[in-house]
Amino acid sequence: MISDSIARAMPANLTTEPMPANPREDQVSKGYAAVFATVVIWSLPSLFQFYLSRWYDPWSQNFYRYAVACVAIAPFMFYRIRRGGPKIDLRAFAICLPACLPNVVHQVTQVVALFYIGPGVYAIFARTSVIFTALLALLFFPEERYVIRQWQFQAGTVLGLIGAFGVIWFQHDAQKHHIALAGLAIAFTATFCWALYGVLVKRPSAELGSIQSFGIISLITSMLLLPLTIAFGAIDAPLHAGAQVNFILIVSAVLCITLAHVLYYVAIHQIGVALSQTLQLVCPIGALLLSAWIFHERLVPIQLVFAVVLLFGAFLAMRVKPIETAESAENF
């Protein structure tokens, strides 16, 4: 009885009931967890693609990888539909289609670029997409300007770009020549299309969710790549590649496309396009180490210095605070 009286007399702020969780903090934590998972996974794609290019041309490699990714995500899509998730209809296909077009170009050109540039160096150069992403996000999404205006984001992006271009500039072939302009142009096209894809995928990921949106995008991307593979590639490549190579292709598709894209969509939805892309500046470090170990790719000391500059830029970008208020899909 006495304890009840004391409890009633206590101020509300002194009660022992747990404070309600901040939904925005939970969203930000989920976004950071998702983006760091993609950083780890996306240290690997250029290595897989470089390995597979011995048996698969750029068209067939991407068609089969996306076809496998589409099959892998399908059970989760149907499960979400049965649990009351977004339906797959013509409108869903319509909002996903714009992101698929630059995605097809990116997937093909990044494999072609590996004929000119080693996987580790390409992984660094690909991080230049952050500048295009920042500009495109600034153009399409006013709510992202809060992130872009912060000095840490600006300084981190600039340092990241300096590091990426420094690594690519001091890359030479066996005859001590700079990388061919055609290779640079193809790599540049791949990075720009990746940035455009990252911006255009924000709306479908917000409206449909990460699983449904990627399921549709992987299906459309596979459908677009099929006629290109028939016309320019080798549709029968799996028959000549062998079981081990095909198994590696399947692993790369499920890990680097299905799982990574779903996590990336979660990150974009929770912490924004610009910040999600900039944190990818960390990916090349893992790619460089693995490429040196597996393919014996080596960087000269000056390239390592620029790689450190890139990593420091990523550190600054990681200190950016995302938007405090979540935007609804109608604002995208």
Side-chain angles (χ1 to χ4, degrees), residues 18-250:
M19 296 295 291
N22 187 336
R24 180 55 188 162
E25 289 182 359
D26 291 342
Q27 290 177 352
V28 171
S29 299
K30 184 187 297 183
Y32 275 115
V35 80
F36 283 126
T38 62
V39 165
V40 174
I41 295 172
W42 275 340
S43 298
L44 305 175
S46 61
L47 305 176
F48 279 121
Q49 292 161 350
F50 184 76
Y51 173 81
L52 292 170
S53 62
R54 305 173 190 175
W55 296 273
Y56 283 85
D57 61 85
W59 311 98
S60 62
Q61 180 181 150
N62 284 292
F63 166 67
Y64 282 109
R65 290 176 75 238
Y66 259 85
V68 170
C70 182
V71 173
I73 198 68
F76 300 97
M77 291 176 59
F78 294 126
Y79 176 78
R80 285 211 65 201
I81 292 174
R82 290 186 60 183
R83 296 294 297 267
K87 298 292 189 295
I88 307 301
D89 52 21
L90 289 178
R91 181 179 177 278
F93 275 85
I95 64 175
C96 288
L97 180 60
C100 297
L101 301 177
N103 188 35
V104 169
V105 179
H106 164 71
Q107 296 300 330
V108 174
T109 51
Q110 71 172 342
V111 176
V112 176
L114 293 174
F115 290 101
Y116 298 89
I117 306 172
V121 173
Y122 174 76
I124 292 178
F125 184 80
R127 296 312 107 197
T128 58
S129 62
V130 297
I131 189 64
F132 304 123
T133 301
L135 294 174
L136 291 170
L138 184 66
L139 178 64
F140 286 104
F141 306 123
E143 71 273 12
E144 296 253 353
R145 293 170 189 170
Y146 172 85
V147 172
I148 297 172
R149 282 197 298 264
Q150 297 182 57
W151 74 266
Q152 293 99 326
F153 179 86
Q154 297 170 7
T157 298
V158 171
L159 289 175
L161 290 173
I162 291 173
F165 277 110
V167 171
I168 202 75
W169 177 254
F170 290 102
Q171 179 73 11
H172 299 91
D173 58 21
Q175 289 74 39
K176 303 300 181 181
H177 297 149
H178 285 292
I179 293 172
L181 291 178
L184 288 175
I186 293 170
F188 177 87
T189 301
T191 57
F192 178 80
C193 288
W194 174 245
L196 184 58
Y197 168 73
V199 170
L200 294 178
V201 83
K202 182 173 182 177
R203 182 187 175 192
S205 68
E207 292 196 18
L208 303 174
S210 57
I211 292 178
Q212 307 299 78
S213 56
F214 175 72
I216 297 174
I217 287 174
S218 63
L219 175 61
I220 297 175
T221 300
S222 301
M223 293 171 62
L224 293 174
L225 285 166
L226 177 58
L228 295 174
T229 302
I230 295 173
F232 305 109
I235 195 68
D236 62 344
L239 300 178
H240 306 287
Q244 178 178 328
V245 175
N246 290 331
F247 175 75
I248 292 176
L249 182 142
I250 292 171

